[in-house]
Amino acid sequence: MPRRPPYYRWLVDEVDKARDFLVPQLRQRGLATYPTPANFMLVQVPEPGRFCALLADQGVYIRDRSDLPRLPGFVRLTLPTREQSDELLRRIDLVLLQMRPNLRSPAPVTAAL
C-alpha cells in the first residue's frame, strides 16, 4: 500500500471522528443512518427533496438519492471534519424544525469565544 502524505492521514482520521460523532447524533434526531467506510453516509430523511433544498438554504449541499433503486427517502451526506460536525448538526436541527413546526425548538447554540 502506498504511503499517504500527512494531510491525507489527518483527513482520514477527521472523517472517522466525524462519522463516529454524527451517527449517534443523527439517530437521536430520529434519522436512520447507514455509515460507509468511505467519506460519506446515507441518511433516511422525511421529504428528501425538501430536506436537501432547506439545507442548501443553510449553505449545506447534499445529494438526494431517493430516486435510486432501494434508496427511497435517502440522502448522501459527505462527512465533514469533526470540527465542522457541530455546525452541520446545528443547521440540520434548523431544517428539521422547519419541517416539523410542532416540535419544540432546539436549545440555542452559543458560540465559543
Side-chain angles (χ1 to χ4, degrees):
M1 177 182 264
R3 292 186 65 201
R4 291 184 178 139
Y7 171 77
Y8 291 109
R9 282 193 301 268
W10 173 84
L11 186 58
V12 168
D13 288 343
E14 282 295 307
V15 166
D16 289 343
K17 289 176 192 173
R19 181 185 305 105
D20 292 345
F21 173 73
L22 285 171
V23 167
Q25 292 292 320
L26 291 169
R27 287 179 179 165
Q28 279 183 339
R29 287 158 172 81
L31 303 175
T33 61
Y34 298 89
T36 71
N39 69 334
F40 69 92
M41 72 172 71
L42 295 171
V43 182
Q44 194 168 28
V45 299
E47 301 177 63
R50 183 172 176 221
F51 186 86
C52 290
L54 290 171
L55 262 183
D57 291 344
Q58 294 291 323
V60 177
Y61 303 96
I62 62 173
R63 294 181 180 169
D64 181 353
R65 292 299 187 220
S66 61
D67 61 339
L68 296 176
R70 298 185 293 176
L71 292 177
F74 282 90
V75 297
R76 179 188 187 273
L77 174 68
T78 300
L79 291 165
T81 64
R82 174 56 189 95
E83 184 178 327
Q84 296 166 330
S85 297
D86 290 316
E87 182 62 21
L88 172 64
L89 284 174
R90 187 185 73 76
R91 293 177 191 203
I92 287 173
D93 285 341
L94 291 172
V95 166
L96 290 174
L97 187 61
Q98 285 179 280
M99 294 182 76
R100 302 177 191 159
N102 296 332
L103 289 181
R104 191 171 51 100
S105 298
V109 177
T110 57
L113 299 177

